[in-house]
Amino acid sequence: MRIVLVGPPGAGKGTQATRLAEKLRIPHISTGDLFRANISRQTELGKLAKSYMDAGNLVPDEVTIAMAKDRMSQPDAENGFLLDGFPRNVSQAEALDELLKAEGIKLDAVLDLEAPEDEVVKRIAGRRVCRKDSAHVFHVTYSPPKQDGVCDYCGGELYQRDDDSEETVRTRLEVYHTQTEPIIDYYRAQGLVVTISAMGPVDEVTSRALEALKSGQ
Ligand code: AP5
Ligand code: MG
């Protein structure tokens, strides 16, 4: 399957993508995680991305699209992928369409995770991610690690993302509404959008997502 995951910051895209990718046996491709990996390796791309990410703004399309294309061309993505955080505006969605068209393939669904703003703010405020792999995500109250400050999966140090400050979160939410939400209408016109509530326990949301993907609604 080829799926795009969309939803406001903190809705649980990364949390759900890890689980869905495992169940559906497709790679989880998160542009946010790819940028964070570049930041920790101190690459030129990482340095460029960090200035935009710390302010809560989108990294320029040119570099983002090139990075996403490169990742999607890896052998593990040949038969499907779950895109988390890409595309994030209409021009990225158009670029993805062009890329898929050139390959003669299509998206199967755009899974839209809905969560109210007060909930996403609480989720982000308590989030802790692993320094070794930012796809390893915890929450101090909702899904605490077994040992304080230590990743359950790899033993890495847990930290609070630099862009999870209250002020940056406000900008990220605004950027989501103005730049990312329009892709939902873009994909709705293609009949691809499946909307589910992201509220409730993580496992329940995963079951809801799998069910919705199966039935196409
Ligand atoms: P990115 O890393 O994609 O951040 P985001 O979209 O803002 O989303 P988050 O990762 O904050 O939230 P999430 O929905 O993944 O939630 P999570 O599962 O962690 O992007 C960061 C930045 O990179 C962007 O601002 C931009 O600068 C740049 N960027 C990335 N892609 C780009 C692109 N395509 N173009 C340009 N720039 C780009 O969950 C949140 C918390 O809630 C966790 O603590 C989790 O444990 C908890 N939680 C999850 N589910 C539940 C639940 N059901 N109940 C209770 N708690 C829950
Ligand atoms: Mg995420």
Side-chain angles (χ1 to χ4, degrees):
M1 281 189 104
R2 295 184 178 87
I3 304 167
V4 166
L5 202 51
V6 65
K13 298 183 296 298
T15 302
Q16 293 305 325
T18 307
R19 286 162 177 76
L20 294 171
E22 202 183 305
K23 298 244 186 226
L24 301 169
R25 294 164 200 264
I26 46 176
H28 166 202
I29 300 180
S30 155
T31 40
D33 289 340
L34 291 171
F35 284 133
R36 280 184 287 278
N38 273 278
I39 291 171
S40 62
R41 293 200 311 272
Q42 299 185 338
T43 65
E44 286 307 312
L45 174 61
K47 282 177 207 157
L48 173 87
K50 186 167 169 48
S51 58
Y52 292 94
M53 290 169 80
D54 285 355
N57 293 318
L58 297 187
V59 179
D61 284 348
E62 205 183 295
V63 290
T64 304
I65 292 166
M67 179 182 74
K69 265 189 185 175
D70 178 61
R71 179 61 188 89
M72 279 187 279
S73 69
Q74 304 292 312
D76 66 337
E78 207 173 305
N79 296 314
F81 46 70
L82 179 51
L83 296 177
D84 160 13
F86 180 85
R88 228 176 172 96
N89 59 28
V90 172
S91 51
Q92 291 182 12
E94 287 169 348
L96 176 63
D97 269 354
E98 261 174 49
L99 175 75
L100 296 176
K101 204 170 153 195
E103 302 279 327
I105 50 182
K106 283 187 173 155
L107 290 176
D108 295 293
V110 174
L111 183 64
D112 166 31
L113 293 184
E114 262 186 357
E117 199 149 311
D118 58 342
E119 176 69 12
V120 302
V121 167
K122 274 192 263 175
R123 289 185 183 182
I124 289 176
R127 170 167 51 195
R128 297 294 180 271
V129 303
C130 176
R131 240 189 235 290
K132 285 191 188 160
D133 184 346
S134 68
H136 300 163
V137 181
F138 300 85
H139 189 283
V140 288
T141 338
Y142 303 141
S143 44
K146 291 194 185 93
Q147 195 187 331
D148 241 11
V150 181
C151 177
D152 288 358
Y153 306 103
C154 69
E157 180 205 356
L158 299 182
Y159 78 108
Q160 188 159 25
R161 270 170 44 179
D162 292 343
D163 61 345
D164 278 354
S165 69
E166 209 184 311
E167 200 193 331
T168 309
V169 169
R170 230 175 292 132
T171 308
R172 284 163 58 200
L173 281 165
E174 201 181 304
V175 167
Y176 178 74
H177 293 311
T178 55
Q179 302 195 45
T180 308
E181 266 180 351
I183 73 168
I184 300 176
D185 280 337
Y186 175 89
Y187 284 126
R188 197 169 277 132
Q190 299 183 20
L192 289 171
V193 179
V194 171
T195 301
I196 62 159
S197 162
M199 297 299 281
V202 170
D203 289 346
E204 268 179 34
V205 180
T206 309
S207 307
R208 206 177 288 150
L210 288 168
E211 205 46 49
L213 287 171
K214 231 191 286 168
S215 62
Q217 52 185 294

